Amino acid sequence: MGLQSKRDQREWWSTDPLMSSSVFAKTMTRDRYDALTSALHFADNEGEHPAEDRLWKLRPVLDVLESTYRSAFVPNKNVTVDESLWAFKGRHHALQYNPSKRARRGLKVYKLCSSDGPEAGYTAAFKIYMGQDRGVFPSSMKAVTDLLEKADLFDKGYQLYTDNWYTSPTLFHYLQARKTSAVGTVRLNRRGMPSDLQQGRYLPPNRRGVERSKPEVVVAYNNGMKGVDLSDQLAQSYPTTRKTVKWYKKIFFYLLDMTTTNALAIHRALGGKLTQFEFRKELVRGLLQQGGPRGSLRRNPPQARHEEEVPSRHTCQLTHRIVGGVGVCSAGGTTGAGRRPG
């Protein structure tokens, strides 16, 4: 559905020759799809859940994805922490409004992403904000330390890039003690900031015959900060999110997009050259071959396929696993594909 834009969900099952797409009707009926999406659930409402866990409706999915992201690929030296805003028009106590974001209103998500190399945009760890960031550290610092801890990147020589909401002397001293260097813009009024620090203009005037040039540190910072933005851009190019007033369903579809972009990053890290559009087509085709009904979508009958015939080069050796009832795609044989610095 992310590859084919439609104005209305019913159009994917349209019989109009101008609008029809046979893959949907051949895979499942519209009524079955509606029944499955309406009953989409990830935790037992009658079971016991920790009172402090406001994400218990998604906890099985989050546990699987956090473990898979951490084990499937190890980021290179440069990583970035920033927040994304996942658009949501329903009601929720943790809704945020941010005019600088494309969505403007939605659920805030902290993400730690790889910043350089072909795997740029890979999300190694994430944290969905539920309004519970109280602790010994300020919320901006806690977001960074929690993500680095989740991704198991402390004490390994990583370099972190952040913007001025996260940057503080307290955070940078803490990171230095954990063998993690950091680069970030600053707010002059932040507690502990040197009193003689002044804001200045470093770009020369754009006059005739004079080229505008950026200091090397500015170029390095812009490159180092691109990880989260790239992850968001890739996910928004072919969104699978569906309209729903259930916050946990909305988050699930965003998680599905994030997992797909992670698989693409691993594909590229392993030398794959597919565009995102071609990669997603191969991914969809592979999932349909795994469990779809027998039909024209299967290139070869399951019993006739041999292991050497699987197009591993084009699909990045993607393995489609069902873990705890949750569909997860990971890269087979890619554990530790990244290089740990230091």
Side-chain angles (χ1 to χ4, degrees):
M1 289 181 172
L3 297 174
Q4 299 187 30
S5 177
K6 302 287 186 181
R7 295 185 308 167
D8 185 81
Q9 179 173 298
R10 303 176 73 88
E11 291 184 358
W12 278 298
W13 281 268
S14 174
T15 57
D16 186 335
L18 294 177
M19 305 297 296
S20 63
S21 181
S22 62
V23 63
F24 297 97
K26 287 183 178 180
T27 302
M28 69 173 67
T29 65
R30 189 187 69 198
D31 289 344
R32 177 168 174 77
Y33 176 82
D34 290 343
L36 289 174
T37 52
S38 65
L40 191 61
H41 220 65
F42 313 101
D44 183 6
N45 285 342
E46 304 301 325
E48 295 184 2
H49 311 287
E52 68 278 5
D53 186 6
R54 296 185 178 180
L55 286 166
W56 64 266
K57 283 183 174 290
L58 278 167
R59 184 54 55 193
V61 180
L62 298 176
D63 290 344
V64 168
L65 293 185
E66 288 174 353
S67 174
T68 303
Y69 290 178
R70 185 170 54 250
S71 62
F73 188 81
V74 180
N76 286 312
K77 181 179 180 181
N78 297 323
V79 295
T80 180
V81 168
D82 204 354
E83 69 270 4
S84 299
L85 197 65
W86 288 348
F88 180 59
K89 295 183 179 180
R91 291 186 175 185
H92 196 273
H93 69 275
L95 280 179
Q96 302 287 305
Y97 176 77
N98 189 337
S100 66
K101 297 293 184 180
R102 182 179 179 182
R104 294 195 177 184
R105 182 176 181 269
L107 297 168
K108 183 166 67 174
V109 183
Y110 300 112
K111 297 169 66 174
L112 186 152
C113 296
S114 180
S115 296
D116 56 0
E119 73 277 8
Y122 181 85
T123 302
F126 65 95
K127 179 182 178 182
I128 302 171
Y129 176 74
M130 287 283 109
Q132 291 179 315
D133 277 350
R134 297 178 181 178
V136 178
F137 297 138
S139 58
S140 58
M141 179 175 175
K142 189 174 186 298
V144 174
T145 56
D146 285 353
L147 290 177
L148 286 169
E149 198 73 56
K150 274 188 177 183
D152 192 24
L153 300 186
F154 271 131
D155 304 313
K156 293 176 178 142
Y158 277 87
Q159 180 155 296
L160 173 71
Y161 291 83
T162 63
D163 65 19
N164 58 32
W165 189 74
Y166 302 94
T167 302
S168 69
T170 304
L171 172 63
F172 278 29
H173 284 308
Y174 179 82
L175 294 177
Q176 187 178 37
R178 299 296 303 271
K179 299 181 181 178
T180 305
S181 57
V183 180
T185 53
V186 300
R187 295 180 180 180
L188 298 179
N189 60 353
R190 184 62 62 86
R191 178 181 298 178
M193 206 65 71
S195 59
D196 58 348
L197 186 65
Q198 296 182 357
Q199 185 177 7
R201 293 178 60 88
Y202 296 98
L203 301 177
N206 188 15
R207 298 173 181 174
R208 175 176 291 185
V210 178
E211 295 183 359
R212 296 175 67 91
S213 60
K214 295 180 181 179
E216 185 177 346
V217 65
V218 176
V219 176
Y221 173 77
N222 289 337
N223 289 333
M225 283 294 296
K226 70 181 182 181
V228 174
D229 289 340
L230 179 59
S231 174
D232 292 342
Q233 289 169 6
L234 290 172
Q236 291 169 3
S237 298
Y238 305 100
T240 60
T241 52
R242 308 268 70 86
K243 292 182 179 179
T244 176
V245 296
K246 301 293 186 181
W247 63 270
Y248 58 90
K249 290 185 182 181
K250 195 74 170 183
I251 290 178
F252 172 76
F253 287 121
Y254 281 116
L255 293 174
L256 182 61
D257 282 336
M258 188 163 66
T259 302
T260 304
T261 58
N262 272 5
L264 174 64
I266 295 177
H267 166 75
R268 291 175 173 174
L270 294 177
K273 302 298 183 182
L274 292 179
T275 64
Q276 181 179 196
F277 183 75
E278 293 296 329
F279 178 84
R280 282 178 177 263
K281 286 199 300 184
E282 289 298 315
L283 179 58
V284 171
R285 186 175 289 113
L287 289 169
L288 291 175
Q289 290 173 346
Q290 285 283 325
R294 296 180 182 273
S296 60
L297 292 175
R298 289 187 181 273
R299 290 180 171 175
N300 298 300
Q303 64 271 20
R305 292 179 63 191
H306 299 288
E307 186 173 351
E308 61 270 18
E309 294 175 350
V310 178
S312 58
R313 174 177 295 181
H314 299 291
T315 61
C316 177
Q317 297 180 343
L318 281 175
T319 302
H320 311 292
R321 299 183 291 135
I322 301 299
V323 182
V326 180
V328 180
C329 64
S330 62
T334 63
T335 302
R339 298 181 297 276
R340 288 187 182 273

